[in-house]
Coordinates of all heavy atoms in Angstrom, one line a residue:
M1343 N -11.9 -111.9 169.3 CA -11.1 -112.8 168.5 C -11.1 -112.3 167.1 O -11.9 -111.6 166.6 CB -11.7 -114.2 168.5 CG -11.7 -114.9 169.9 SD -10.0 -114.9 170.6 CE -9.1 -115.9 169.5
K1344 N -10.1 -112.8 166.4 CA -9.9 -112.4 165.0 C -10.1 -113.6 164.1 O -9.5 -114.7 164.4 CB -8.5 -111.8 164.8 CG -8.3 -111.1 163.5 CD -8.8 -109.7 163.5 CE -8.8 -109.2 162.1 NZ -9.7 -108.0 161.9
F1345 N -10.8 -113.5 163.0 CA -11.0 -114.6 162.2 C -10.5 -114.4 160.8 O -10.5 -113.3 160.3 CB -12.5 -115.0 162.2 CG -13.0 -115.5 163.5 CD1 -13.7 -114.6 164.4 CD2 -12.8 -116.8 163.9 CE1 -14.1 -115.1 165.6 CE2 -13.2 -117.2 165.2 CZ -13.9 -116.4 166.0
C1346 N -10.2 -115.5 160.1 CA -9.6 -115.4 158.8 C -10.6 -114.9 157.8 O -11.7 -115.3 157.7 CB -9.1 -116.8 158.4 SG -8.4 -116.9 156.8
P1347 N -10.2 -113.8 157.0 CA -11.1 -113.3 156.0 C -11.3 -114.3 154.8 O -12.2 -114.1 154.0 CB -10.3 -112.0 155.5 CG -8.9 -112.3 155.8 CD -8.9 -113.2 157.0
K1348 N -10.4 -115.3 154.7 CA -10.6 -116.2 153.6 C -11.5 -117.4 154.0 O -12.3 -117.8 153.2 CB -9.2 -116.7 153.2 CG -8.4 -115.7 152.4 CD -7.1 -116.4 151.9 CE -6.4 -115.5 150.9 NZ -5.3 -116.2 150.3
C1349 N -11.2 -118.1 155.1 CA -11.9 -119.3 155.4 C -12.7 -119.2 156.7 O -13.4 -120.1 157.1 CB -10.9 -120.5 155.4 SG -9.9 -120.5 156.9
G1350 N -12.5 -118.1 157.5 CA -13.2 -118.0 158.7 C -12.6 -118.7 159.9 O -13.1 -118.8 161.0
G1351 N -11.4 -119.2 159.7 CA -10.7 -119.9 160.7 C -10.1 -119.0 161.8 O -10.1 -117.8 161.6
L1352 N -9.7 -119.5 162.9 CA -9.2 -118.7 164.0 C -7.8 -118.2 163.7 O -6.9 -118.9 163.3 CB -9.2 -119.5 165.3 CG -8.8 -118.8 166.6 CD1 -9.9 -117.8 166.9 CD2 -8.6 -119.8 167.7
M1353 N -7.6 -116.9 163.9 CA -6.3 -116.3 163.7 C -5.5 -116.3 165.0 O -6.0 -115.8 166.0 CB -6.4 -114.9 163.2 CG -7.2 -114.7 161.9 SD -6.4 -115.4 160.4 CE -5.3 -114.0 160.1
T1354 N -4.3 -116.8 165.0 CA -3.5 -116.8 166.2 C -2.3 -116.0 166.0 O -1.7 -115.9 164.9 CB -3.1 -118.3 166.6 OG1 -2.4 -118.8 165.5 CG2 -4.3 -119.1 166.9
P1355 N -1.8 -115.3 167.1 CA -0.6 -114.5 167.0 C 0.6 -115.3 166.7 O 0.8 -116.5 167.2 CB -0.5 -113.9 168.4 CG -1.8 -114.1 169.0 CD -2.4 -115.3 168.4
L1356 N 1.5 -114.8 165.9 CA 2.7 -115.5 165.5 C 3.9 -114.5 165.6 O 3.8 -113.4 165.1 CB 2.5 -116.0 164.1 CG 3.7 -116.7 163.4 CD1 4.0 -118.0 164.0 CD2 3.4 -116.8 161.9
R1357 N 5.0 -114.9 166.1 CA 6.2 -114.1 166.2 C 7.1 -114.4 165.0 O 7.5 -115.6 164.8 CB 6.9 -114.3 167.5 CG 6.6 -113.3 168.5 CD 7.3 -112.0 168.2 NE 7.0 -111.0 169.2 CZ 7.6 -111.0 170.4 NH1 8.4 -111.9 170.8 NH2 7.3 -110.0 171.2
R1358 N 7.6 -113.4 164.3 CA 8.6 -113.6 163.3 C 9.5 -112.4 163.2 O 9.1 -111.3 162.9 CB 7.9 -113.9 161.9 CG 8.9 -114.3 160.9 CD 8.3 -114.5 159.5 NE 7.4 -115.7 159.6 CZ 6.5 -116.0 158.7 NH1 6.2 -115.1 157.8 NH2 5.8 -117.1 158.8
E1359 N 10.8 -112.7 163.4 CA 11.8 -111.7 163.2 C 11.4 -110.4 164.0 O 11.5 -109.3 163.5 CB 12.0 -111.3 161.7 CG 12.6 -112.5 161.0 CD 12.5 -112.4 159.5 OE1 12.1 -111.3 159.0 OE2 12.9 -113.3 158.8
G1360 N 10.9 -110.6 165.2 CA 10.6 -109.4 166.0 C 9.3 -108.7 165.7 O 8.9 -107.8 166.4
R1361 N 8.6 -109.2 164.7 CA 7.3 -108.6 164.4 C 6.2 -109.6 164.7 O 6.5 -110.8 164.9 CB 7.2 -108.3 162.9 CG 8.4 -107.6 162.4 CD 8.3 -107.1 161.0 NE 7.2 -106.1 160.9 CZ 6.9 -105.4 159.8 NH1 7.7 -105.6 158.8 NH2 6.0 -104.5 159.8
T1362 N 5.0 -109.1 164.9 CA 3.9 -110.0 165.2 C 2.9 -110.1 164.0 O 2.5 -109.0 163.5 CB 3.2 -109.5 166.5 OG1 4.2 -109.3 167.5 CG2 2.2 -110.5 166.9
L1363 N 2.6 -111.3 163.7 CA 1.6 -111.5 162.6 C 0.4 -112.3 163.2 O 0.5 -112.9 164.3 CB 2.2 -112.3 161.5 CG 3.5 -111.9 160.9 CD1 4.1 -113.0 160.0 CD2 3.3 -110.6 160.0
L1364 N -0.7 -112.3 162.5 CA -1.8 -113.2 162.8 C -1.8 -114.2 161.7 O -1.7 -113.9 160.5 CB -3.1 -112.4 162.9 CG -3.3 -111.5 164.0 CD1 -4.6 -110.7 163.9 CD2 -3.2 -112.3 165.4
K1365 N -1.9 -115.5 162.2 CA -1.9 -116.6 161.2 C -3.1 -117.5 161.4 O -3.4 -117.8 162.5 CB -0.6 -117.4 161.4 CG -0.5 -118.5 160.3 CD 0.9 -119.2 160.5 CE 1.0 -120.3 159.5 NZ 2.3 -121.0 159.6
C1366 N -3.7 -117.8 160.3 CA -4.9 -118.7 160.3 C -4.5 -120.1 160.6 O -3.5 -120.6 160.0 CB -5.6 -118.6 159.0 SG -7.0 -119.7 158.9
I1367 N -5.2 -120.8 161.6 CA -4.8 -122.1 161.9 C -5.3 -123.1 160.9 O -5.0 -124.3 160.9 CB -5.4 -122.5 163.3 CG1 -6.9 -122.5 163.3 CG2 -4.8 -121.6 164.4 CD1 -7.4 -123.1 164.7
R1368 N -6.2 -122.7 160.0 CA -6.7 -123.6 159.0 C -6.0 -123.5 157.7 O -5.5 -124.5 157.1 CB -8.2 -123.3 158.7 CG -9.1 -123.8 159.8 CD -10.6 -123.6 159.3 NE -11.5 -123.9 160.4 CZ -12.8 -123.6 160.2 NH1 -13.3 -123.1 159.1 NH2 -13.6 -123.9 161.2
C1369 N -5.9 -122.3 157.1 CA -5.3 -122.2 155.7 C -4.0 -121.5 155.7 O -3.4 -121.3 154.7 CB -6.3 -121.5 154.8 SG -6.4 -119.7 155.1
N1370 N -3.5 -121.2 157.0 CA -2.2 -120.5 157.1 C -2.1 -119.2 156.5 O -1.0 -118.7 156.2 CB -1.1 -121.4 156.5 CG -0.9 -122.7 157.3 OD1 -1.2 -122.7 158.5 ND2 -0.4 -123.7 156.7
Y1371 N -3.3 -118.5 156.2 CA -3.3 -117.2 155.8 C -2.6 -116.3 156.8 O -2.9 -116.4 158.0 CB -4.7 -116.7 155.5 CG -4.9 -115.3 155.2 CD1 -4.6 -114.7 154.0 CD2 -5.3 -114.4 156.2 CE1 -4.8 -113.4 153.7 CE2 -5.4 -113.0 156.0 CZ -5.2 -112.5 154.7 OH -5.3 -111.2 154.5
E1372 N -1.8 -115.4 156.4 CA -1.1 -114.5 157.4 C -1.5 -113.0 157.1 O -1.6 -112.6 156.0 CB 0.4 -114.7 157.2 CG 0.9 -116.0 157.7 CD 2.4 -116.2 157.6 OE1 3.1 -115.2 157.2 OE2 2.9 -117.3 157.9
Q1373 N -1.6 -112.3 158.2 CA -2.0 -110.9 158.2 C -1.1 -110.2 159.1 O -0.9 -110.6 160.3 CB -3.4 -110.8 158.6 CG -3.9 -109.3 158.7 CD -5.3 -109.2 159.1 OE1 -5.8 -109.9 160.0 NE2 -6.1 -108.3 158.5
E1374 N -0.5 -109.1 158.7 CA 0.3 -108.3 159.6 C -0.5 -107.7 160.7 O -1.6 -107.2 160.4 CB 1.1 -107.2 158.8 CG 2.2 -106.6 159.7 CD 3.1 -105.7 158.8 OE1 3.0 -105.8 157.6 OE2 3.8 -104.9 159.4
L1375 N 0.0 -107.7 161.9 CA -0.7 -107.1 163.0 C -0.5 -105.6 163.1 O 0.4 -105.2 163.7 CB -0.3 -107.8 164.3 CG -1.2 -107.6 165.5 CD1 -2.6 -108.2 165.2 CD2 -0.6 -108.2 166.7
T1376 N -1.4 -104.9 162.5 CA -1.3 -103.4 162.5 C -1.8 -102.9 163.8 O -2.5 -103.7 164.6 CB -2.1 -102.8 161.4 OG1 -3.4 -103.1 161.5 CG2 -1.6 -103.3 160.0
A1377 N -1.6 -101.6 164.1 CA -2.1 -101.1 165.4 C -3.6 -101.2 165.5 O -4.1 -101.6 166.6 CB -1.7 -99.6 165.4
S1378 N -4.3 -101.0 164.5 CA -5.8 -101.1 164.6 C -6.2 -102.5 164.8 O -7.1 -102.8 165.6 CB -6.5 -100.5 163.3 OG -6.1 -101.2 162.2
V1379 N -5.6 -103.4 164.1 CA -5.9 -104.8 164.2 C -5.6 -105.3 165.6 O -6.4 -106.0 166.3 CB -5.2 -105.7 163.2 CG1 -5.4 -107.2 163.5 CG2 -5.7 -105.4 161.8
R1380 N -4.4 -104.8 166.1 CA -4.0 -105.2 167.5 C -5.0 -104.8 168.5 O -5.4 -105.5 169.4 CB -2.6 -104.7 167.8 CG -2.1 -105.1 169.1 CD -0.7 -104.6 169.3 NE -0.7 -103.1 169.4 CZ -0.8 -102.5 170.6 NH1 -0.9 -103.2 171.7 NH2 -0.7 -101.2 170.7
R1381 N -5.5 -103.5 168.4 CA -6.4 -103.0 169.3 C -7.7 -103.8 169.3 O -8.2 -104.2 170.4 CB -6.7 -101.5 169.0 CG -7.3 -100.8 170.1 CD -7.4 -99.3 169.8 NE -6.2 -98.7 169.4 CZ -6.0 -98.1 168.2 NH1 -6.9 -98.0 167.4 NH2 -4.8 -97.6 167.9
E1382 N -8.1 -104.1 168.2 CA -9.4 -104.9 168.0 C -9.2 -106.3 168.6 O -10.0 -106.8 169.4 CB -9.7 -105.1 166.5 CG -11.0 -105.8 166.2 CD -11.1 -106.1 164.7 OE1 -10.5 -105.3 164.0 OE2 -11.7 -107.1 164.4
Y1383 N -8.0 -106.9 168.4 CA -7.7 -108.2 168.8 C -7.6 -108.3 170.3 O -8.2 -109.1 171.0 CB -6.4 -108.7 168.2 CG -6.1 -110.1 168.3 CD1 -6.7 -111.1 167.5 CD2 -5.2 -110.6 169.3 CE1 -6.5 -112.4 167.7 CE2 -5.0 -111.9 169.5 CZ -5.6 -112.8 168.6 OH -5.4 -114.2 168.8
T1384 N -6.8 -107.4 170.9 CA -6.6 -107.5 172.4 C -7.9 -107.1 173.1 O -8.1 -107.6 174.2 CB -5.4 -106.5 172.8 OG1 -5.7 -105.2 172.3 CG2 -4.1 -107.0 172.3
A1385 N -8.6 -106.2 172.5 CA -9.9 -105.8 173.2 C -10.8 -107.0 173.2 O -11.5 -107.3 174.2 CB -10.6 -104.7 172.4
S1386 N -10.8 -107.8 172.2 CA -11.7 -109.0 172.2 C -11.2 -110.0 173.1 O -12.0 -110.8 173.7 CB -11.8 -109.5 170.7 OG -10.6 -110.0 170.3
I1387 N -9.9 -110.1 173.3 CA -9.4 -111.1 174.2 C -9.7 -110.8 175.7 O -10.2 -111.6 176.4 CB -7.8 -111.2 174.1 CG1 -7.5 -111.9 172.8 CG2 -7.2 -111.9 175.3 CD1 -6.0 -111.9 172.6
T1388 N -9.6 -109.5 176.0 CA -9.9 -109.1 177.4 C -11.4 -109.2 177.7 O -11.8 -109.4 178.8 CB -9.4 -107.7 177.7 OG1 -9.9 -106.8 176.6 CG2 -7.9 -107.6 177.7
T1389 N -12.2 -109.0 176.7 CA -13.7 -109.0 177.0 C -14.3 -110.4 176.8 O -15.3 -110.7 177.4 CB -14.4 -108.0 176.1 OG1 -14.1 -108.3 174.7 CG2 -14.0 -106.6 176.4
D1390 N -13.7 -111.2 175.9 CA -14.3 -112.5 175.6 C -13.8 -113.6 176.6 O -12.7 -114.1 176.5 CB -13.9 -112.9 174.2 CG -14.6 -114.2 173.8 OD1 -15.3 -114.7 174.6 OD2 -14.4 -114.6 172.6
K1391 N -14.6 -113.9 177.6 CA -14.2 -114.8 178.6 C -14.2 -116.3 178.1 O -13.7 -117.2 178.7 CB -15.2 -114.7 179.8 CG -15.1 -113.4 180.5 CD -14.6 -113.6 181.9 CE -14.8 -112.3 182.8 NZ -14.5 -111.1 182.1
S1392 N -14.8 -116.5 176.9 CA -14.9 -117.8 176.4 C -13.7 -118.1 175.4 O -13.7 -119.1 174.7 CB -16.2 -118.0 175.6 OG -16.3 -117.2 174.5
L1393 N -12.7 -117.3 175.5 CA -11.6 -117.4 174.6 C -11.0 -118.9 174.6 O -10.8 -119.5 173.6 CB -10.5 -116.5 174.9 CG -9.1 -116.7 174.3 CD1 -9.1 -116.5 172.8 CD2 -8.0 -115.8 174.9
R1394 N -10.8 -119.3 175.8 CA -10.2 -120.6 176.0 C -11.1 -121.7 175.4 O -10.6 -122.6 174.7 CB -10.1 -120.9 177.5 CG -9.2 -122.0 177.8 CD -9.3 -122.4 179.3 NE -8.5 -123.6 179.5 CZ -7.3 -123.6 180.1 NH1 -6.8 -122.5 180.5 NH2 -6.6 -124.7 180.3
V1395 N -12.4 -121.6 175.6 CA -13.3 -122.6 175.0 C -13.3 -122.6 173.5 O -13.2 -123.6 172.8 CB -14.7 -122.4 175.5 CG1 -15.7 -123.4 174.9 CG2 -14.8 -122.4 177.0
V1396 N -13.3 -121.4 173.0 CA -13.4 -121.2 171.5 C -12.1 -121.8 170.9 O -12.1 -122.6 170.0 CB -13.5 -119.7 171.1 CG1 -13.3 -119.5 169.6 CG2 -14.8 -119.2 171.6
T1397 N -11.0 -121.4 171.5 CA -9.7 -121.9 171.0 C -9.6 -123.4 171.0 O -9.2 -124.0 170.0 CB -8.5 -121.3 171.8 OG1 -8.6 -119.9 171.9 CG2 -7.2 -121.7 171.2
T1398 N -10.0 -124.0 172.1 CA -9.9 -125.4 172.3 C -10.8 -126.2 171.3 O -10.3 -127.1 170.6 CB -10.4 -125.8 173.7 OG1 -9.6 -125.2 174.6 CG2 -10.2 -127.3 173.9
S1399 N -12.0 -125.7 171.1 CA -12.9 -126.4 170.2 C -12.5 -126.3 168.7 O -12.6 -127.2 168.0 CB -14.3 -125.9 170.4 OG -14.4 -124.5 170.0
K1400 N -11.9 -125.1 168.4 CA -11.4 -124.9 167.1 C -10.2 -125.8 166.7 O -10.2 -126.5 165.7 CB -11.0 -123.5 166.8 CG -12.1 -122.5 166.8 CD -12.7 -122.4 165.4 CE -13.8 -121.4 165.4 NZ -14.6 -121.4 164.2
I1401 N -9.3 -125.9 167.7 CA -8.1 -126.7 167.4 C -8.4 -128.2 167.5 O -7.8 -129.0 166.9 CB -7.0 -126.3 168.5 CG1 -6.6 -124.8 168.2 CG2 -5.8 -127.2 168.4 CD1 -5.5 -124.3 169.1
S1402 N -9.4 -128.5 168.3 CA -9.6 -129.9 168.6 C -10.6 -130.6 167.6 O -11.2 -131.6 167.9 CB -10.2 -130.1 170.0 OG -9.3 -129.6 170.9
E1403 N -10.7 -130.0 166.4 CA -11.5 -130.7 165.4 C -10.9 -132.0 165.1 O -9.7 -132.1 165.0 CB -11.5 -129.8 164.1 CG -12.4 -128.6 164.2 CD -12.3 -127.6 163.1 OE1 -11.6 -128.0 162.1 OE2 -12.8 -126.5 163.2
P1404 N -11.7 -133.0 164.9 CA -11.2 -134.4 164.7 C -10.1 -134.5 163.7 O -9.1 -135.2 163.9 CB -12.4 -135.1 164.3 CG -13.6 -134.4 164.8 CD -13.1 -132.9 164.9
S1405 N -10.3 -133.9 162.6 CA -9.3 -134.0 161.5 C -7.9 -133.4 161.9 O -6.9 -134.0 161.6 CB -9.7 -133.3 160.2 OG -10.0 -132.0 160.5
K1406 N -8.0 -132.4 162.7 CA -6.7 -131.7 163.1 C -6.1 -132.5 164.2 O -4.9 -132.7 164.3 CB -7.0 -130.3 163.7 CG -7.6 -129.4 162.7 CD -6.5 -128.4 162.2 CE -7.1 -127.5 161.1 NZ -6.1 -126.7 160.4
R1407 N -6.9 -133.1 165.1 CA -6.4 -133.8 166.3 C -5.5 -134.9 165.9 O -4.5 -135.3 166.5 CB -7.5 -134.2 167.2 CG -7.0 -134.7 168.5 CD -8.1 -135.3 169.3 NE -9.2 -134.4 169.7 CZ -10.4 -134.7 170.1 NH1 -10.7 -136.0 170.2 NH2 -11.3 -133.8 170.4
E1408 N -5.9 -135.6 164.8 CA -5.1 -136.7 164.4 C -3.7 -136.3 163.8 O -2.8 -137.1 163.9 CB -5.9 -137.5 163.3 CG -7.1 -138.3 163.8 CD -7.9 -138.8 162.7 OE1 -7.4 -139.0 161.6 OE2 -9.1 -139.0 163.0
L1409 N -3.7 -135.1 163.3 CA -2.4 -134.7 162.7 C -1.4 -134.1 163.7 O -0.3 -134.0 163.5 CB -2.7 -133.7 161.6 CG -3.5 -134.2 160.4 CD1 -3.9 -133.0 159.6 CD2 -2.7 -135.2 159.6
R1410 N -2.0 -133.7 164.9 CA -1.1 -133.0 165.8 C -1.1 -133.7 167.1 O -2.0 -134.2 167.6 CB -1.6 -131.5 166.0 CG -1.9 -130.9 164.7 CD -2.7 -129.6 165.0 NE -1.8 -128.5 165.1 CZ -2.1 -127.2 164.8 NH1 -3.3 -127.0 164.3 NH2 -1.3 -126.2 164.9
S1411 N 0.1 -133.7 167.7 CA 0.3 -134.3 169.0 C -0.3 -133.4 170.1 O -0.3 -132.2 169.9 CB 1.7 -134.6 169.3 OG 2.5 -133.4 169.5
K1412 N -0.6 -134.0 171.2 CA -1.1 -133.2 172.3 C -0.1 -132.2 172.8 O -0.4 -131.1 173.1 CB -1.5 -134.1 173.5 CG -2.4 -133.4 174.5 CD -2.6 -134.3 175.7 CE -3.3 -133.6 176.8 NZ -3.0 -134.2 178.1
E1413 N 1.1 -132.6 172.8 CA 2.2 -131.8 173.2 C 2.3 -130.5 172.4 O 2.5 -129.4 172.9 CB 3.5 -132.6 173.1 CG 4.5 -132.3 174.2 CD 5.7 -133.2 174.2 OE1 6.6 -133.0 173.3 OE2 5.7 -134.2 174.9
E1414 N 2.2 -130.8 171.1 CA 2.3 -129.7 170.1 C 1.2 -128.6 170.4 O 1.4 -127.4 170.3 CB 2.1 -130.2 168.7 CG 2.7 -129.4 167.7 CD 2.6 -130.0 166.3 OE1 2.4 -131.2 166.3 OE2 2.7 -129.3 165.3
L1415 N 0.0 -129.1 170.7 CA -1.1 -128.2 171.0 C -0.9 -127.4 172.2 O -1.2 -126.2 172.3 CB -2.4 -129.0 171.1 CG -3.0 -129.6 169.8 CD1 -4.2 -130.4 170.1 CD2 -3.3 -128.5 168.8
E1416 N -0.4 -128.1 173.2 CA -0.1 -127.4 174.5 C 0.9 -126.3 174.3 O 0.7 -125.2 174.8 CB 0.5 -128.4 175.5 CG -0.5 -129.5 175.9 CD -1.3 -129.2 177.1 OE1 -0.8 -128.7 178.0 OE2 -2.5 -129.5 177.1
Q1417 N 1.9 -126.6 173.6 CA 3.0 -125.6 173.3 C 2.4 -124.4 172.5 O 2.7 -123.3 172.8 CB 4.1 -126.3 172.5 CG 5.4 -125.5 172.5 CD 6.4 -126.1 171.7 OE1 6.3 -127.3 171.3 NE2 7.5 -125.4 171.4
E1418 N 1.6 -124.7 171.5 CA 1.0 -123.7 170.7 C 0.1 -122.8 171.6 O 0.1 -121.6 171.4 CB 0.2 -124.3 169.6 CG -0.1 -123.4 168.5 CD -0.7 -124.1 167.3 OE1 0.0 -124.8 166.6 OE2 -2.0 -124.1 167.2
R1419 N -0.6 -123.4 172.4 CA -1.5 -122.6 173.3 C -0.8 -121.7 174.2 O -1.1 -120.6 174.4 CB -2.5 -123.6 174.1 CG -3.7 -122.9 174.5 CD -4.7 -123.9 175.1 NE -5.0 -125.0 174.2 CZ -5.5 -126.1 174.7 NH1 -5.7 -126.3 175.9 NH2 -5.7 -127.1 173.8
E1420 N 0.3 -122.3 174.8 CA 1.1 -121.5 175.7 C 1.7 -120.3 175.0 O 1.7 -119.2 175.5 CB 2.3 -122.3 176.2 CG 1.9 -123.0 177.6 CD 3.1 -123.8 178.0 OE1 4.2 -123.4 177.8 OE2 2.8 -124.9 178.6
E1421 N 2.1 -120.5 173.8 CA 2.7 -119.4 173.0 C 1.6 -118.4 172.7 O 1.9 -117.2 172.7 CB 3.2 -120.0 171.7 CG 4.5 -119.4 171.1 CD 5.1 -120.2 170.1 OE1 5.7 -121.2 170.5 OE2 5.0 -119.9 168.9
F1422 N 0.5 -118.8 172.4 CA -0.6 -118.0 172.1 C -0.9 -117.0 173.3 O -1.0 -115.8 173.1 CB -1.9 -118.8 171.8 CG -3.1 -118.0 171.6 CD1 -3.5 -117.6 170.3 CD2 -4.0 -117.6 172.6 CE1 -4.6 -116.8 170.1 CE2 -5.1 -116.9 172.4 CZ -5.4 -116.5 171.1
Y1423 N -1.0 -117.5 174.4 CA -1.3 -116.7 175.6 C -0.1 -115.7 175.9 O -0.3 -114.6 176.3 CB -1.6 -117.5 176.8 CG -3.0 -118.0 176.8 CD1 -3.3 -119.4 176.6 CD2 -4.1 -117.2 177.0 CE1 -4.6 -119.9 176.5 CE2 -5.4 -117.6 176.9 CZ -5.6 -119.0 176.7 OH -6.9 -119.4 176.6
E1424 N 1.1 -116.3 175.7 CA 2.2 -115.5 176.0 C 2.2 -114.2 175.1 O 2.4 -113.1 175.5 CB 3.5 -116.3 175.7 CG 4.8 -115.7 176.3 CD 5.9 -116.6 176.0 OE1 5.9 -117.8 176.4 OE2 6.8 -116.2 175.2
I1425 N 2.0 -114.4 173.8 CA 2.0 -113.3 172.8 C 0.8 -112.4 173.1 O 1.0 -111.2 173.0 CB 2.0 -113.9 171.4 CG1 3.3 -114.7 171.1 CG2 1.9 -112.7 170.4 CD1 3.3 -115.3 169.8
A1426 N -0.3 -113.0 173.4 CA -1.5 -112.2 173.6 C -1.3 -111.2 174.8 O -1.6 -110.1 174.8 CB -2.7 -113.1 173.9
L1427 N -0.7 -111.8 175.9 CA -0.4 -110.9 177.0 C 0.6 -109.8 176.7 O 0.5 -108.7 177.2 CB 0.2 -111.8 178.2 CG -0.9 -112.7 178.9 CD1 -0.1 -113.6 179.9 CD2 -1.9 -111.9 179.6
E1428 N 1.6 -110.2 175.9 CA 2.6 -109.2 175.5 C 1.9 -108.1 174.7 O 2.2 -106.9 174.9 CB 3.6 -109.9 174.6 CG 5.0 -109.7 175.1 CD 6.0 -110.6 174.3 OE1 6.3 -110.2 173.2 OE2 6.4 -111.6 174.8
L1429 N 1.0 -108.5 173.8 CA 0.3 -107.5 173.0 C -0.4 -106.5 173.9 O -0.5 -105.3 173.6 CB -0.6 -108.2 172.0 CG 0.0 -108.9 170.9 CD1 -1.0 -109.6 170.1 CD2 0.8 -108.0 170.0
M1430 N -1.1 -107.0 174.9 CA -1.9 -106.2 175.7 C -1.1 -105.2 176.6 O -1.6 -104.2 177.0 CB -2.8 -107.1 176.6 CG -3.9 -107.7 175.8 SD -5.1 -108.5 176.9 CE -4.3 -110.1 177.0
S1431 N 0.1 -105.7 176.9 CA 1.0 -104.8 177.8 C 1.8 -103.8 177.0 O 2.3 -102.9 177.5 CB 1.8 -105.7 178.7 OG 2.7 -106.5 177.9
S1432 N 2.0 -104.1 175.7 CA 2.9 -103.2 174.9 C 2.1 -102.1 174.3 O 1.0 -102.3 173.8 CB 3.7 -103.9 173.9 OG 2.8 -104.5 172.9
E1433 N 2.6 -100.9 174.3 CA 1.9 -99.7 173.8 C 2.1 -99.5 172.3 O 1.1 -99.2 171.6 CB 2.3 -98.5 174.6 CG 1.8 -98.4 176.0 CD 0.3 -98.3 176.0 OE1 -0.3 -97.6 175.2 OE2 -0.4 -99.1 176.7
E1434 N 3.3 -99.7 171.9 CA 3.6 -99.4 170.5 C 3.8 -100.6 169.7 O 4.2 -101.7 170.2 CB 4.8 -98.5 170.4 CG 4.7 -97.1 171.0 CD 3.6 -96.3 170.3 OE1 3.5 -96.4 169.1 OE2 2.9 -95.6 171.0
I1435 N 3.5 -100.5 168.4 CA 3.7 -101.7 167.5 C 4.7 -101.2 166.4 O 4.8 -100.1 166.0 CB 2.4 -102.2 166.9 CG1 2.7 -103.5 166.3 CG2 1.8 -101.2 165.9 CD1 1.4 -104.3 166.0
G1436 N 5.5 -102.2 166.0 CA 6.4 -101.9 164.9 C 7.7 -101.3 165.4 O 8.6 -100.9 164.6
E1437 N 7.9 -101.2 166.7 CA 9.1 -100.7 167.3 C 10.1 -101.8 167.3 O 9.8 -102.9 167.6 CB 8.9 -100.2 168.7 CG 9.2 -98.7 168.9 CD 9.0 -98.3 170.3 OE1 8.0 -98.6 170.9 OE2 9.9 -97.6 170.8
E1438 N 11.4 -101.5 167.0 CA 12.4 -102.4 167.1 C 12.7 -102.8 168.5 O 12.7 -102.0 169.4 CB 13.7 -101.9 166.5 CG 13.6 -101.5 165.0 CD 13.4 -102.8 164.2 OE1 14.1 -103.8 164.4 OE2 12.6 -102.7 163.3
E1439 N 12.8 -104.1 168.8 CA 13.1 -104.6 170.1 C 14.6 -104.8 170.3 O 15.3 -105.0 169.4 CB 12.4 -105.9 170.4 CG 10.9 -105.7 170.4 CD 10.2 -106.9 171.0 OE1 10.7 -107.5 171.9 OE2 9.1 -107.3 170.5
G1440 N 15.0 -104.6 171.6 CA 16.4 -104.7 171.9 C 17.0 -106.1 171.6 O 16.2 -107.0 171.3
G1441 N 18.3 -106.3 171.9 CA 18.9 -107.6 171.6 C 18.6 -108.6 172.6 O 19.5 -109.1 173.3
E1442 N 17.4 -109.0 172.7 CA 17.0 -110.0 173.7 C 17.2 -111.4 173.2 O 17.1 -112.3 173.9 CB 15.6 -109.7 174.2 CG 15.5 -109.2 175.6 CD 14.1 -109.3 176.2 OE1 13.2 -108.6 175.7 OE2 13.9 -110.1 177.1
Y1443 N 17.2 -111.5 171.9 CA 17.3 -112.8 171.3 C 18.7 -113.4 171.2 O 19.5 -112.7 170.8 CB 16.6 -112.8 170.0 CG 15.2 -112.3 170.1 CD1 14.8 -111.1 169.7 CD2 14.2 -113.2 170.6 CE1 13.5 -110.7 169.8 CE2 12.9 -112.8 170.8 CZ 12.5 -111.5 170.3 OH 11.2 -111.1 170.5
Ligands
ZN1930 ZN1 -8.0 -119.2 156.7

């Protein structure tokens, strides 16, 4: 897993304009996903079997839970896995993607 250099919060993958960023769920700090960061990130996902538990406990902090609907969390989690899987299957980063959007 990747953690925020500022507050130590969990960094989650984020898609923007065809690029992938990592965004802190606590302070919204954003970090561009470079090749080296991606390697580190995906490696930790494939080896860390407790990813799901970690993610859940981080997001389900009482203060956060009151602010976010369950539906929103579910959607966010789905997106997280979707992007994580994509990252693991793609070889290159920073490549322009075709007109799929
Ligand atoms: Zn942070």
